[in-house]
Amino acid sequence: MKQKTWPDRSDGVRFTAFPLSKPNDNEENIILSRRSKIVSKTSLSPTDGPDFSALPFDILTKIAASFNFPNLLAASLVCRSWRDALRPLREAMMLLRYGKRFKHGRGGFRRNLDKALDSFLKGAARGSTLAMVDAGLIYWERGLKEEAIALYQKAAAHGDPAGQCNLGISYLHAQPQNHKEAVKWLHQASIGGYTRAQYQLALCLHQGLGVHRNLYEAAKWYLKAAEGGYVRAMYNASLCYSSGVGLSQSRRQARKWMRRAADRGHSKAQFEHGLALFSEGEMMKAVVYLELATRSGETAATHVKNVILQQLSATSRERALLLADNWRALPSSR
């Protein structure tokens, strides 16, 4: 996929969901049983600490609504009262797992979006914000935007960062658009450290969508998202350092973030990093990055790459292309 050189409204179309939990379906009761025995041997007497069972169930389930499977199991072991209260959310985790298998055709399941949606909705009905987000994704992809937004709103109200981010993006692309609400929810997710929301918020600040245009704030959020591993933000942070827009101009920092974006598969960053290496006489390395950019659709990289290849020996050319063949992108939060 080609990345935009600088902010574009089309950058806000990607939504997010949480990954599939790892434990097998039949593990919950076994894990709870084994851990509860350990807890019972080491538990404190009622007078030794606070009475956790006194926490109202509605507050507990709201707090735990966005928990993943391991955290939910841990909370279920605090006391019998919590274990009983969190049973619907544990059931939702199983439904979420089935839904993801149907959605992606994994674990021996044939891909079936209708069954995936049904599982997600059942999980959402049991209070899981993770299931709400996944159900919302399918609704959005089917063009049922009102249904998707309703689920994102529920997840966002429970403090789920993916729900807040997706709700903000939805407001940017719904008809009519609501930029102020978009910025509100993107900011909520951003201050919680959600990198995709930080990048989207930076775009809004850069373009003046729903908020006064503020290049300094935009650059700050680009950098935060970049530090969190978001590739597009790495590229934009590099541009900010290179031009001195929102950040103090620094060639060293610009090169650092451009290379990090390139090493994580950003095609424009690969092209620009290749050009920088070429200008410094690093011909072999330049060819590798330019070849990667070419393969990702950056046609402008092809001419420069061919010029460099003419200057290399046959052995060096083969070596450079072999490095490109064996290249693998470093992990990122995309």
Side-chain angles (χ1 to χ4, degrees):
M1 178 182 293
K2 293 186 68 176
Q3 294 85 1
K4 301 291 187 294
T5 303
W6 201 238
D8 186 283
R9 297 189 183 188
S10 63
D11 287 337
V13 299
R14 292 190 175 186
F15 295 99
T16 59
F18 283 85
L20 177 65
S21 300
K22 293 182 179 180
N24 295 325
D25 293 341
N26 62 351
E27 286 185 345
E28 178 191 348
N29 290 333
I30 297 174
I31 294 172
L32 282 173
S33 176
R34 290 177 178 173
R35 292 187 180 178
S36 61
K37 291 178 181 178
I38 297 172
V39 172
S40 64
K41 293 179 180 179
T42 60
S43 60
L44 299 173
S45 66
T47 58
D48 289 332
D51 182 9
F52 292 106
S53 65
L55 185 67
F57 280 11
D58 59 333
I59 295 178
L60 174 61
T61 53
K62 184 174 182 178
I63 293 172
S66 60
F67 281 10
N68 58 21
F69 190 76
N71 289 340
L72 196 57
L73 285 181
S76 297
L77 294 171
V78 171
C79 62
R80 185 179 298 277
S81 177
W82 280 29
R83 177 174 178 170
D84 293 341
L86 296 176
R87 183 179 299 278
L89 286 174
R90 294 198 302 275
E91 293 173 354
M93 288 294 102
M94 299 304 169
L95 290 162
L96 182 70
R97 187 175 302 116
Y98 280 122
K100 286 188 176 292
R101 288 174 179 173
F102 278 122
K103 182 177 180 179
H104 301 292
R106 298 173 182 168
F109 287 59
R110 287 188 177 182
R111 191 169 185 269
N112 189 319
L113 288 182
D114 289 329
K115 290 185 177 180
L117 178 59
D118 181 65
S119 294
F120 292 147
L121 289 174
K122 288 178 179 177
R126 286 165 171 78
S128 170
T129 62
L130 282 64
M132 295 174 195
V133 170
D134 275 305
L137 286 169
I138 294 180
Y139 274 138
W140 188 274
E141 290 166 359
R142 291 182 169 182
L144 301 173
K145 296 186 177 181
E146 291 184 4
E147 289 84 348
I149 289 174
L151 285 165
Y152 293 151
Q153 286 172 333
K154 289 182 180 179
H158 281 78
D160 186 286
Q164 292 170 341
C165 180
N166 287 9
L167 181 58
I169 293 172
S170 297
Y171 284 133
L172 288 174
H173 296 276
Q175 294 298 330
Q177 295 175 326
N178 190 333
H179 293 153
K180 288 187 177 180
E181 279 294 300
V183 169
K184 167 189 167 183
W185 288 109
L186 290 172
H187 186 262
Q188 285 288 329
S190 294
I191 60 178
Y194 201 69
T195 56
R196 184 171 279 108
Q198 291 171 345
Y199 174 73
Q200 295 292 339
L201 178 61
L203 289 176
C204 290
L205 288 161
H206 201 150
Q207 299 169 3
L209 296 177
V211 66
H212 291 298
R213 191 165 185 257
N214 189 324
L215 298 181
Y216 292 98
E217 280 294 302
K220 181 188 80 173
W221 287 111
Y222 282 140
L223 188 57
K224 281 184 178 293
E227 290 169 344
Y230 199 76
V231 177
R232 292 184 178 187
M234 293 178 188
Y235 180 73
N236 282 10
S238 174
L239 296 181
C240 289
Y241 275 120
S242 179
S243 62
V245 173
L247 294 170
S248 298
Q249 195 167 22
S250 170
R251 182 176 179 275
R252 183 177 65 84
Q253 288 294 326
R255 284 293 304 275
K256 180 185 83 170
W257 287 112
M258 189 65 73
R259 176 170 182 173
R260 289 188 178 184
D263 287 342
R264 286 158 180 81
H266 194 290
S267 62
K268 287 190 178 296
Q270 290 169 340
F271 177 34
E272 295 191 30
H273 187 56
L275 290 177
L277 290 168
F278 174 47
S279 68
E280 295 170 356
E282 296 281 354
M283 300 301 187
M284 282 276 291
K285 292 181 180 179
V287 168
V288 173
Y289 283 100
L290 292 170
E291 174 65 16
L292 293 172
T294 299
R295 294 178 184 183
S296 295
E298 296 296 329
T299 56
T302 306
H303 174 70
V304 182
K305 178 197 69 177
N306 290 337
V307 170
I308 300 174
L309 286 173
Q310 292 175 5
Q311 302 177 33
L312 298 177
S313 65
T315 302
S316 295
R317 288 197 295 269
E318 291 178 4
R319 173 63 177 163
L321 295 177
L322 180 62
L323 288 172
D325 289 338
N326 294 327
W327 179 86
R328 296 293 181 272
L330 294 177
S332 69
S333 64
R334 304 299 308 175

PDB file of all heavy atoms in Angstrom, residues 15 27 40 49 52 67 100 109 116 135 140 152 154 162 164 167 187 198 235 238 253 267 285 296 301 304 319 324:
ATOM      1  N   PHE A  15      -9.418   1.071  10.962  1.00  0.00           N
ATOM      2  CA  PHE A  15      -9.936   0.839  12.289  1.00  0.00           C
ATOM      3  C   PHE A  15      -9.104  -0.243  12.954  1.00  0.00           C
ATOM      4  O   PHE A  15      -8.306  -0.927  12.322  1.00  0.00           O
ATOM      5  CB  PHE A  15     -11.410   0.421  12.223  1.00  0.00           C
ATOM      6  CG  PHE A  15     -12.287   1.520  11.695  1.00  0.00           C
ATOM      7  CD1 PHE A  15     -12.692   1.529  10.364  1.00  0.00           C
ATOM      8  CD2 PHE A  15     -12.690   2.550  12.513  1.00  0.00           C
ATOM      9  CE1 PHE A  15     -13.485   2.536   9.882  1.00  0.00           C
ATOM     10  CE2 PHE A  15     -13.493   3.558  12.035  1.00  0.00           C
ATOM     11  CZ  PHE A  15     -13.887   3.554  10.709  1.00  0.00           C
ATOM     12  N   GLU A  27      -9.530 -24.149  28.600  1.00  0.00           N
ATOM     13  CA  GLU A  27      -8.560 -23.856  29.651  1.00  0.00           C
ATOM     14  C   GLU A  27      -9.127 -23.082  30.822  1.00  0.00           C
ATOM     15  O   GLU A  27      -8.600 -23.139  31.914  1.00  0.00           O
ATOM     16  CB  GLU A  27      -7.379 -23.057  29.075  1.00  0.00           C
ATOM     17  CG  GLU A  27      -6.449 -23.903  28.224  1.00  0.00           C
ATOM     18  CD  GLU A  27      -5.239 -23.109  27.772  1.00  0.00           C
ATOM     19  OE1 GLU A  27      -5.287 -21.878  27.889  1.00  0.00           O
ATOM     20  OE2 GLU A  27      -4.278 -23.712  27.323  1.00  0.00           O
ATOM     21  N   SER A  40      -6.227 -19.896  47.626  1.00  0.00           N
ATOM     22  CA  SER A  40      -6.863 -20.258  48.887  1.00  0.00           C
ATOM     23  C   SER A  40      -5.838 -20.596  49.952  1.00  0.00           C
ATOM     24  O   SER A  40      -6.065 -20.405  51.142  1.00  0.00           O
ATOM     25  CB  SER A  40      -7.801 -21.452  48.664  1.00  0.00           C
ATOM     26  OG  SER A  40      -7.061 -22.592  48.260  1.00  0.00           O
ATOM     27  N   GLY A  49      -7.104  -7.334  55.301  1.00  0.00           N
ATOM     28  CA  GLY A  49      -7.102  -6.444  54.157  1.00  0.00           C
ATOM     29  C   GLY A  49      -8.500  -6.008  53.795  1.00  0.00           C
ATOM     30  O   GLY A  49      -9.471  -6.336  54.487  1.00  0.00           O
ATOM     31  N   PHE A  52     -12.826  -7.014  49.135  1.00  0.00           N
ATOM     32  CA  PHE A  52     -13.039  -6.769  47.713  1.00  0.00           C
ATOM     33  C   PHE A  52     -14.450  -7.144  47.276  1.00  0.00           C
ATOM     34  O   PHE A  52     -14.963  -6.609  46.310  1.00  0.00           O
ATOM     35  CB  PHE A  52     -12.011  -7.535  46.878  1.00  0.00           C
ATOM     36  CG  PHE A  52     -10.606  -7.032  47.026  1.00  0.00           C
ATOM     37  CD1 PHE A  52      -9.671  -7.750  47.759  1.00  0.00           C
ATOM     38  CD2 PHE A  52     -10.218  -5.841  46.439  1.00  0.00           C
ATOM     39  CE1 PHE A  52      -8.380  -7.278  47.903  1.00  0.00           C
ATOM     40  CE2 PHE A  52      -8.928  -5.365  46.568  1.00  0.00           C
ATOM     41  CZ  PHE A  52      -8.003  -6.085  47.305  1.00  0.00           C
ATOM     42  N   PHE A  67     -10.985  -5.773  29.713  1.00  0.00           N
ATOM     43  CA  PHE A  67      -9.892  -6.675  30.084  1.00  0.00           C
ATOM     44  C   PHE A  67      -9.690  -7.742  29.011  1.00  0.00           C
ATOM     45  O   PHE A  67     -10.655  -8.222  28.408  1.00  0.00           O
ATOM     46  CB  PHE A  67     -10.196  -7.385  31.404  1.00  0.00           C
ATOM     47  CG  PHE A  67      -9.955  -6.548  32.635  1.00  0.00           C
ATOM     48  CD1 PHE A  67      -9.685  -5.193  32.544  1.00  0.00           C
ATOM     49  CD2 PHE A  67      -9.999  -7.131  33.890  1.00  0.00           C
ATOM     50  CE1 PHE A  67      -9.465  -4.431  33.687  1.00  0.00           C
ATOM     51  CE2 PHE A  67      -9.782  -6.386  35.038  1.00  0.00           C
ATOM     52  CZ  PHE A  67      -9.516  -5.037  34.936  1.00  0.00           C
ATOM     53  N   LYS A 100     -13.298 -14.483  16.114  1.00  0.00           N
ATOM     54  CA  LYS A 100     -12.070 -14.197  15.376  1.00  0.00           C
ATOM     55  C   LYS A 100     -11.683 -15.378  14.485  1.00  0.00           C
ATOM     56  O   LYS A 100     -11.143 -15.198  13.400  1.00  0.00           O
ATOM     57  CB  LYS A 100     -10.949 -13.841  16.353  1.00  0.00           C
ATOM     58  CG  LYS A 100     -11.111 -12.448  16.949  1.00  0.00           C
ATOM     59  CD  LYS A 100      -9.906 -12.045  17.751  1.00  0.00           C
ATOM     60  CE  LYS A 100     -10.030 -10.615  18.272  1.00  0.00           C
ATOM     61  NZ  LYS A 100      -9.976  -9.625  17.198  1.00  0.00           N
ATOM     62  N   PHE A 109     -11.537 -23.411  11.414  1.00  0.00           N
ATOM     63  CA  PHE A 109     -12.828 -22.804  11.098  1.00  0.00           C
ATOM     64  C   PHE A 109     -12.796 -22.232   9.683  1.00  0.00           C
ATOM     65  O   PHE A 109     -11.815 -21.603   9.288  1.00  0.00           O
ATOM     66  CB  PHE A 109     -13.163 -21.670  12.076  1.00  0.00           C
ATOM     67  CG  PHE A 109     -13.541 -22.128  13.455  1.00  0.00           C
ATOM     68  CD1 PHE A 109     -12.672 -22.879  14.239  1.00  0.00           C
ATOM     69  CD2 PHE A 109     -14.773 -21.803  13.981  1.00  0.00           C
ATOM     70  CE1 PHE A 109     -13.012 -23.289  15.511  1.00  0.00           C
ATOM     71  CE2 PHE A 109     -15.141 -22.203  15.254  1.00  0.00           C
ATOM     72  CZ  PHE A 109     -14.254 -22.961  16.024  1.00  0.00           C
ATOM     73  N   ALA A 116     -19.118 -14.911  12.509  1.00  0.00           N
ATOM     74  CA  ALA A 116     -18.212 -14.066  13.289  1.00  0.00           C
ATOM     75  C   ALA A 116     -18.981 -12.932  13.943  1.00  0.00           C
ATOM     76  O   ALA A 116     -18.823 -12.678  15.149  1.00  0.00           O
ATOM     77  CB  ALA A 116     -17.111 -13.511  12.380  1.00  0.00           C
ATOM     78  N   ALA A 135     -17.379  -6.340  16.484  1.00  0.00           N
ATOM     79  CA  ALA A 135     -18.677  -6.318  15.809  1.00  0.00           C
ATOM     80  C   ALA A 135     -18.837  -5.022  15.025  1.00  0.00           C
ATOM     81  O   ALA A 135     -19.350  -5.013  13.896  1.00  0.00           O
ATOM     82  CB  ALA A 135     -19.801  -6.467  16.839  1.00  0.00           C
ATOM     83  N   TRP A 140     -19.182  -1.753  10.013  1.00  0.00           N
ATOM     84  CA  TRP A 140     -18.639  -0.647   9.220  1.00  0.00           C
ATOM     85  C   TRP A 140     -18.245  -1.126   7.827  1.00  0.00           C
ATOM     86  O   TRP A 140     -18.513  -0.463   6.828  1.00  0.00           O
ATOM     87  CB  TRP A 140     -17.438  -0.027   9.926  1.00  0.00           C
ATOM     88  CG  TRP A 140     -16.955   1.231   9.266  1.00  0.00           C
ATOM     89  CD1 TRP A 140     -16.073   1.335   8.230  1.00  0.00           C
ATOM     90  CD2 TRP A 140     -17.367   2.570   9.557  1.00  0.00           C
ATOM     91  NE1 TRP A 140     -15.881   2.640   7.883  1.00  0.00           N
ATOM     92  CE2 TRP A 140     -16.667   3.423   8.680  1.00  0.00           C
ATOM     93  CE3 TRP A 140     -18.235   3.122  10.495  1.00  0.00           C
ATOM     94  CZ2 TRP A 140     -16.821   4.810   8.702  1.00  0.00           C
ATOM     95  CZ3 TRP A 140     -18.389   4.507  10.522  1.00  0.00           C
ATOM     96  CH2 TRP A 140     -17.693   5.334   9.632  1.00  0.00           C
ATOM     97  N   TYR A 152     -19.258   1.319  18.884  1.00  0.00           N
ATOM     98  CA  TYR A 152     -18.054   2.053  19.275  1.00  0.00           C
ATOM     99  C   TYR A 152     -18.351   2.996  20.441  1.00  0.00           C
ATOM    100  O   TYR A 152     -17.523   3.175  21.337  1.00  0.00           O
ATOM    101  CB  TYR A 152     -17.509   2.862  18.092  1.00  0.00           C
ATOM    102  CG  TYR A 152     -16.967   2.043  16.953  1.00  0.00           C
ATOM    103  CD1 TYR A 152     -17.005   2.528  15.644  1.00  0.00           C
ATOM    104  CD2 TYR A 152     -16.412   0.786  17.152  1.00  0.00           C
ATOM    105  CE1 TYR A 152     -16.507   1.787  14.585  1.00  0.00           C
ATOM    106  CE2 TYR A 152     -15.911   0.044  16.100  1.00  0.00           C
ATOM    107  CZ  TYR A 152     -15.966   0.549  14.816  1.00  0.00           C
ATOM    108  OH  TYR A 152     -15.474  -0.185  13.768  1.00  0.00           O
ATOM    109  N   LYS A 154     -20.529   2.567  22.844  1.00  0.00           N
ATOM    110  CA  LYS A 154     -20.603   1.787  24.080  1.00  0.00           C
ATOM    111  C   LYS A 154     -19.205   1.417  24.567  1.00  0.00           C
ATOM    112  O   LYS A 154     -18.905   1.529  25.757  1.00  0.00           O
ATOM    113  CB  LYS A 154     -21.426   0.519  23.841  1.00  0.00           C
ATOM    114  CG  LYS A 154     -22.915   0.761  23.662  1.00  0.00           C
ATOM    115  CD  LYS A 154     -23.660  -0.554  23.471  1.00  0.00           C
ATOM    116  CE  LYS A 154     -25.152  -0.324  23.286  1.00  0.00           C
ATOM    117  NZ  LYS A 154     -25.889  -1.608  23.076  1.00  0.00           N
ATOM    118  N   ALA A 162      -9.415   1.256  21.842  1.00  0.00           N
ATOM    119  CA  ALA A 162      -9.711   0.958  20.443  1.00  0.00           C
ATOM    120  C   ALA A 162     -11.089   1.476  20.074  1.00  0.00           C
ATOM    121  O   ALA A 162     -11.299   1.990  18.971  1.00  0.00           O
ATOM    122  CB  ALA A 162      -9.624  -0.545  20.189  1.00  0.00           C
ATOM    123  N   GLN A 164     -12.599   4.057  21.475  1.00  0.00           N
ATOM    124  CA  GLN A 164     -12.488   5.515  21.403  1.00  0.00           C
ATOM    125  C   GLN A 164     -11.851   5.951  20.095  1.00  0.00           C
ATOM    126  O   GLN A 164     -12.310   6.899  19.445  1.00  0.00           O
ATOM    127  CB  GLN A 164     -11.667   6.021  22.589  1.00  0.00           C
ATOM    128  CG  GLN A 164     -12.355   5.840  23.922  1.00  0.00           C
ATOM    129  CD  GLN A 164     -11.434   6.110  25.109  1.00  0.00           C
ATOM    130  OE1 GLN A 164     -10.206   6.094  24.976  1.00  0.00           O
ATOM    131  NE2 GLN A 164     -12.021   6.358  26.267  1.00  0.00           N
ATOM    132  N   LEU A 167     -14.246   5.250  17.199  1.00  0.00           N
ATOM    133  CA  LEU A 167     -15.353   6.203  17.238  1.00  0.00           C
ATOM    134  C   LEU A 167     -14.904   7.540  16.661  1.00  0.00           C
ATOM    135  O   LEU A 167     -15.622   8.169  15.867  1.00  0.00           O
ATOM    136  CB  LEU A 167     -15.847   6.380  18.671  1.00  0.00           C
ATOM    137  CG  LEU A 167     -17.025   7.335  18.867  1.00  0.00           C
ATOM    138  CD1 LEU A 167     -18.239   6.894  18.051  1.00  0.00           C
ATOM    139  CD2 LEU A 167     -17.393   7.440  20.357  1.00  0.00           C
ATOM    140  N   HIS A 187      -8.532  12.252  21.285  1.00  0.00           N
ATOM    141  CA  HIS A 187      -7.716  12.763  22.386  1.00  0.00           C
ATOM    142  C   HIS A 187      -7.811  11.847  23.594  1.00  0.00           C
ATOM    143  O   HIS A 187      -6.809  11.572  24.276  1.00  0.00           O
ATOM    144  CB  HIS A 187      -8.148  14.187  22.752  1.00  0.00           C
ATOM    145  CG  HIS A 187      -7.255  14.829  23.773  1.00  0.00           C
ATOM    146  ND1 HIS A 187      -7.555  14.859  25.113  1.00  0.00           N
ATOM    147  CD2 HIS A 187      -6.049  15.445  23.647  1.00  0.00           C
ATOM    148  CE1 HIS A 187      -6.600  15.467  25.769  1.00  0.00           C
ATOM    149  NE2 HIS A 187      -5.664  15.832  24.899  1.00  0.00           N
ATOM    150  N   GLN A 198      -3.146   8.629  18.490  1.00  0.00           N
ATOM    151  CA  GLN A 198      -2.200   9.746  18.547  1.00  0.00           C
ATOM    152  C   GLN A 198      -1.867  10.244  17.144  1.00  0.00           C
ATOM    153  O   GLN A 198      -1.790  11.455  16.911  1.00  0.00           O
ATOM    154  CB  GLN A 198      -0.926   9.294  19.272  1.00  0.00           C
ATOM    155  CG  GLN A 198      -1.137   9.039  20.756  1.00  0.00           C
ATOM    156  CD  GLN A 198       0.056   8.379  21.418  1.00  0.00           C
ATOM    157  OE1 GLN A 198       0.946   7.848  20.742  1.00  0.00           O
ATOM    158  NE2 GLN A 198       0.101   8.397  22.736  1.00  0.00           N
ATOM    159  N   TYR A 235       7.429   8.408   9.913  1.00  0.00           N
ATOM    160  CA  TYR A 235       7.712   9.137   8.670  1.00  0.00           C
ATOM    161  C   TYR A 235       7.395  10.623   8.826  1.00  0.00           C
ATOM    162  O   TYR A 235       8.204  11.487   8.455  1.00  0.00           O
ATOM    163  CB  TYR A 235       6.903   8.530   7.528  1.00  0.00           C
ATOM    164  CG  TYR A 235       7.118   9.203   6.200  1.00  0.00           C
ATOM    165  CD1 TYR A 235       8.298   9.032   5.489  1.00  0.00           C
ATOM    166  CD2 TYR A 235       6.140  10.025   5.654  1.00  0.00           C
ATOM    167  CE1 TYR A 235       8.502   9.645   4.266  1.00  0.00           C
ATOM    168  CE2 TYR A 235       6.336  10.647   4.424  1.00  0.00           C
ATOM    169  CZ  TYR A 235       7.516  10.459   3.736  1.00  0.00           C
ATOM    170  OH  TYR A 235       7.719  11.074   2.528  1.00  0.00           O
ATOM    171  N   SER A 238       9.853  12.429  11.005  1.00  0.00           N
ATOM    172  CA  SER A 238      11.073  12.709  10.251  1.00  0.00           C
ATOM    173  C   SER A 238      10.913  13.977   9.428  1.00  0.00           C
ATOM    174  O   SER A 238      11.819  14.822   9.378  1.00  0.00           O
ATOM    175  CB  SER A 238      11.403  11.522   9.346  1.00  0.00           C
ATOM    176  OG  SER A 238      12.501  11.825   8.512  1.00  0.00           O
ATOM    177  N   GLN A 253      17.985  13.653  13.808  1.00  0.00           N
ATOM    178  CA  GLN A 253      16.703  13.073  14.200  1.00  0.00           C
ATOM    179  C   GLN A 253      15.856  12.728  12.974  1.00  0.00           C
ATOM    180  O   GLN A 253      15.159  11.711  12.961  1.00  0.00           O
ATOM    181  CB  GLN A 253      15.942  14.050  15.099  1.00  0.00           C
ATOM    182  CG  GLN A 253      16.512  14.205  16.493  1.00  0.00           C
ATOM    183  CD  GLN A 253      16.406  12.934  17.313  1.00  0.00           C
ATOM    184  OE1 GLN A 253      15.457  12.177  17.184  1.00  0.00           O
ATOM    185  NE2 GLN A 253      17.392  12.691  18.152  1.00  0.00           N
ATOM    186  N   SER A 267       7.042   2.602   2.391  1.00  0.00           N
ATOM    187  CA  SER A 267       7.671   2.658   1.067  1.00  0.00           C
ATOM    188  C   SER A 267       8.279   4.021   0.751  1.00  0.00           C
ATOM    189  O   SER A 267       9.368   4.097   0.167  1.00  0.00           O
ATOM    190  CB  SER A 267       6.651   2.273  -0.007  1.00  0.00           C
ATOM    191  OG  SER A 267       5.558   3.169  -0.034  1.00  0.00           O
ATOM    192  N   LYS A 285      23.787  -0.266   0.080  1.00  0.00           N
ATOM    193  CA  LYS A 285      22.641  -0.064   0.961  1.00  0.00           C
ATOM    194  C   LYS A 285      21.533   0.715   0.246  1.00  0.00           C
ATOM    195  O   LYS A 285      20.347   0.436   0.416  1.00  0.00           O
ATOM    196  CB  LYS A 285      23.070   0.679   2.225  1.00  0.00           C
ATOM    197  CG  LYS A 285      23.975  -0.132   3.145  1.00  0.00           C
ATOM    198  CD  LYS A 285      24.344   0.680   4.387  1.00  0.00           C
ATOM    199  CE  LYS A 285      25.250  -0.122   5.311  1.00  0.00           C
ATOM    200  NZ  LYS A 285      25.642   0.669   6.515  1.00  0.00           N
ATOM    201  N   SER A 296       7.287  -1.890  -3.597  1.00  0.00           N
ATOM    202  CA  SER A 296       6.081  -1.417  -2.909  1.00  0.00           C
ATOM    203  C   SER A 296       5.307  -0.394  -3.734  1.00  0.00           C
ATOM    204  O   SER A 296       4.336   0.179  -3.240  1.00  0.00           O
ATOM    205  CB  SER A 296       6.456  -0.811  -1.550  1.00  0.00           C
ATOM    206  OG  SER A 296       6.997  -1.800  -0.697  1.00  0.00           O
ATOM    207  N   ALA A 301      11.518   5.447  -7.545  1.00  0.00           N
ATOM    208  CA  ALA A 301      12.744   4.827  -7.037  1.00  0.00           C
ATOM    209  C   ALA A 301      13.433   3.991  -8.105  1.00  0.00           C
ATOM    210  O   ALA A 301      14.650   3.750  -8.031  1.00  0.00           O
ATOM    211  CB  ALA A 301      12.418   3.955  -5.827  1.00  0.00           C
ATOM    212  N   VAL A 304      16.411   5.794 -10.129  1.00  0.00           N
ATOM    213  CA  VAL A 304      17.616   6.010  -9.312  1.00  0.00           C
ATOM    214  C   VAL A 304      18.317   4.684  -9.066  1.00  0.00           C
ATOM    215  O   VAL A 304      19.551   4.574  -9.153  1.00  0.00           O
ATOM    216  CB  VAL A 304      17.248   6.679  -7.976  1.00  0.00           C
ATOM    217  CG1 VAL A 304      18.510   6.946  -7.157  1.00  0.00           C
ATOM    218  CG2 VAL A 304      16.480   7.964  -8.213  1.00  0.00           C
ATOM    219  N   ARG A 319      24.345  -9.326  -4.954  1.00  0.00           N
ATOM    220  CA  ARG A 319      24.337  -9.279  -3.497  1.00  0.00           C
ATOM    221  C   ARG A 319      23.263  -8.329  -2.988  1.00  0.00           C
ATOM    222  O   ARG A 319      22.501  -8.648  -2.066  1.00  0.00           O
ATOM    223  CB  ARG A 319      25.716  -8.838  -2.986  1.00  0.00           C
ATOM    224  CG  ARG A 319      25.806  -8.595  -1.491  1.00  0.00           C
ATOM    225  CD  ARG A 319      25.558  -9.839  -0.701  1.00  0.00           C
ATOM    226  NE  ARG A 319      25.716  -9.604   0.727  1.00  0.00           N
ATOM    227  CZ  ARG A 319      25.256 -10.425   1.673  1.00  0.00           C
ATOM    228  NH1 ARG A 319      24.621 -11.542   1.323  1.00  0.00           N
ATOM    229  NH2 ARG A 319      25.444 -10.149   2.934  1.00  0.00           N
ATOM    230  N   ALA A 324      17.688  -7.635  -0.640  1.00  0.00           N
ATOM    231  CA  ALA A 324      16.301  -7.167  -0.748  1.00  0.00           C
ATOM    232  C   ALA A 324      15.326  -8.342  -0.699  1.00  0.00           C
ATOM    233  O   ALA A 324      14.255  -8.256  -0.079  1.00  0.00           O
ATOM    234  CB  ALA A 324      16.112  -6.374  -2.039  1.00  0.00           C
TER     235      ALA A 324
END
